[in-house]
């Protein structure tokens, strides 16, 4: 995970073991140092919007095992809101072929959902390598949190996708450069740049039009 010194990081968790969460937080605190910040948010409370907008350079969602977190569209929108412009989202989610497990996305659908939410530079989905113990814990979490049978759990893969929030605020505006400075013309008369441009657009010499160029309507 690309977490650096001085960054503000949000960890969104759900159903993971307390010890795993504490170890992850401790590692992240060492990475960001005293100038950075590591915050925790339960996925079930994320949609309440308690987090300040554009606060975090990095958001890690569903990365602390074992997690069977399925990010709803509302969750993805909230994640987009709290990531700073130019910031990164690292998201892990169980995926499966379409139709195998109800309310579970395929890898392609997960990537598309992030794009539709407004994220850019969405990476190709990558299967997370799991140890036998981690796989067993994921299957257990799928059964407890999602009601997925052991047989169907074999079709599920833990997928990681990375994405960025566009490096600008939605609704931001910028002024168009308009110059009203006076400039000299060939006859010595001062005119503004804006006036000159308007004249160039709207003036047309009579010499530019021939009789054949004009179509008269009956």
């Amino acid at each position: 995970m690309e977490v650096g010194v001085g960054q503000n990081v949000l960890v969104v968790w759900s159903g993971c073991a307390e010890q795993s969460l504490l170890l992850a937080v401790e590692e992240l605190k060492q990475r960001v140092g005293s100038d950075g910040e590591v915050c925790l948010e339960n996925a079930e409370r994320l949609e309440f919007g308690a987090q300040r907008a554009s606060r975090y350079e990095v958001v890690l969602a569903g990365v602390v095992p074992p997690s069977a977190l399925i990010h709803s569209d509302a969750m993805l929108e909230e994640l987009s809101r709290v990531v700073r412009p130019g910031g990164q989202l690292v998201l892990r989610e169980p995926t499966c072929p379409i139709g195998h497990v109800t309310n579970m996305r395929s890898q392609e659908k997960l990537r598309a959902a992030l794009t539709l939410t407004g994220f850019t530079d969405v990476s190709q989905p990558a299967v997370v390598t799991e140890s036998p113990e981690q796989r067993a814990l994921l299957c257990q979490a799928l059964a407890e949190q999602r009601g997925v049978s052991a047989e169907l759990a074999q079709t599920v893969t833990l997928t990681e996708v990375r994405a960025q929030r566009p490096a600008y605020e939605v609704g931001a505006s910028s002024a168009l450069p308009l110059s009203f400075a006076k400039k000299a013309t060939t006859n010595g008369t001062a005119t503004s740049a804006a006036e000159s441009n308007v004249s160039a657009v709207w003036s047309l010499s009579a010499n530019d039009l021939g009789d054949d160029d004009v179509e008269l309507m009956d």
Side-chain angles (χ1 to χ4, degrees):
M1 288 173 277
E2 290 79 7
V3 175
V5 175
Q7 290 186 324
N8 294 329
V9 180
L10 176 65
V11 179
V12 179
W13 63 276
S14 175
C16 58
E18 181 179 355
Q19 186 63 24
S20 298
L21 188 60
L22 292 175
L23 288 174
V25 170
E26 185 61 31
E27 179 183 348
L28 289 169
K29 284 184 175 180
Q30 292 179 6
R31 292 192 186 189
V32 302
S34 58
D35 293 332
E37 182 182 27
V38 178
C39 298
L40 298 175
E41 183 68 271
N42 188 306
E44 296 177 357
R45 298 186 56 82
L46 182 65
E47 296 178 38
F48 292 127
Q51 296 289 338
R52 190 171 72 246
S54 304
R55 180 177 180 182
Y56 301 99
E57 284 90 358
V58 180
V59 172
L60 309 174
V63 301
V64 181
S67 175
L69 176 60
I70 305 297
H71 302 81
S72 66
D73 292 341
M75 283 185 185
L76 294 180
E77 290 176 2
E78 183 63 15
L79 292 175
S80 176
R81 189 184 71 84
V82 301
V83 178
R84 286 185 180 178
Q88 184 180 49
L89 168 69
V90 180
L91 180 147
R92 289 182 181 179
E93 180 173 311
T95 60
C96 70
I98 297 175
H100 282 213
V101 180
T102 303
N103 297 327
M104 190 175 291
R105 300 183 180 97
S106 65
Q107 291 184 340
E108 294 75 16
K109 290 289 186 181
L110 175 58
R111 188 168 186 264
L114 287 167
T115 301
L116 289 173
T117 305
F119 285 100
T120 60
D121 297 328
V122 182
S123 69
Q124 290 295 328
V127 175
V128 178
T129 302
E130 300 173 279
S131 66
E133 180 183 1
Q134 289 173 328
R135 182 65 191 180
L137 289 173
L138 176 61
C139 290
Q140 181 180 347
L142 288 170
E144 294 176 352
Q145 300 176 32
R146 299 290 167 188
V148 178
S149 67
E151 181 180 0
L152 285 178
Q154 299 308 311
T155 68
V156 175
T157 56
L158 184 59
T159 298
E160 179 176 296
V161 180
R162 301 183 177 212
Q164 283 190 322
R165 182 179 171 187
Y168 54 82
E169 290 281 7
V170 175
S173 61
S174 59
L176 294 175
L178 294 176
S179 174
F180 293 93
K182 299 291 185 178
K183 66 176 183 178
T185 63
T186 55
N187 60 6
T189 304
T191 61
S192 70
E195 291 170 349
S196 178
N197 289 338
V198 170
S199 298
V201 172
W202 289 105
S203 66
L204 187 62
S205 171
N207 294 328
D208 294 331
L209 288 177
D211 292 339
D212 294 336
D213 297 325
V214 181
E215 182 179 357
L216 298 179
M217 301 297 293
D218 292 334

